[in-house]
Amino acid sequence: MPMRCFYAFLAVKAIALLGAAESVILFLVREKQARIFGGAAIILSALVILAIPQSWVIGICGPADFPCHGTYFWTVIAGIVLIVLGAFTLWFSSRKLKRGVSDDQADS
């Protein structure tokens, strides 16, 4: 029977694939409201990725010398990077929306 970390990182991988799909959609979408929603969705995905290895969700193995703790470290780093990138996308898209820049003006 697999340990808790197996299921935790399997769930993280599934959410990461969802985040990759959200990123592809952000490249294809031109509407600012959709980009704002995409940035918020990436932040939400990152928060879920950070929550999954916590003991109150799925958790990871207890002993600190198990390799899953090293994987957890990189999962936290990736989650923080996703939050920063999602926040930048959200800020940048909403900034252009507040200034009233049209889609044609924003591209030039």
Side-chain angles (χ1 to χ4, degrees):
M1 176 172 212
M3 299 172 79
R4 292 171 66 181
C5 58
F6 173 79
Y7 297 112
F9 294 123
L10 196 62
V12 166
K13 203 180 307 182
I15 300 298
L17 288 174
L18 179 65
E22 292 165 357
S23 299
V24 169
I25 290 170
L26 278 173
F27 279 119
L28 301 175
V29 172
R30 297 182 52 89
E31 292 82 21
K32 288 173 187 39
Q33 290 86 1
R35 288 182 181 176
I36 290 171
F37 176 75
I42 288 176
I43 292 172
L44 181 63
S45 295
L47 292 174
V48 171
I49 285 174
L50 290 174
I52 287 173
Q54 305 303 319
S55 61
W56 45 274
V57 181
I58 296 177
I60 58 173
C61 305
D65 59 337
F66 278 23
C68 55
H69 286 275
T71 307
Y72 171 69
F73 171 76
W74 292 108
T75 301
V76 169
I77 298 294
I80 291 171
V81 168
L82 277 175
I83 288 174
V84 169
L85 291 175
F88 176 76
T89 302
L90 191 64
W91 171 77
F92 188 72
S93 297
S94 65
R95 183 178 68 94
K96 288 198 292 189
L97 186 65
K98 286 180 186 174
R99 287 191 328 194
V101 177
S102 69
D103 287 337
D104 296 331
Q105 293 171 338
D107 292 337
S108 57

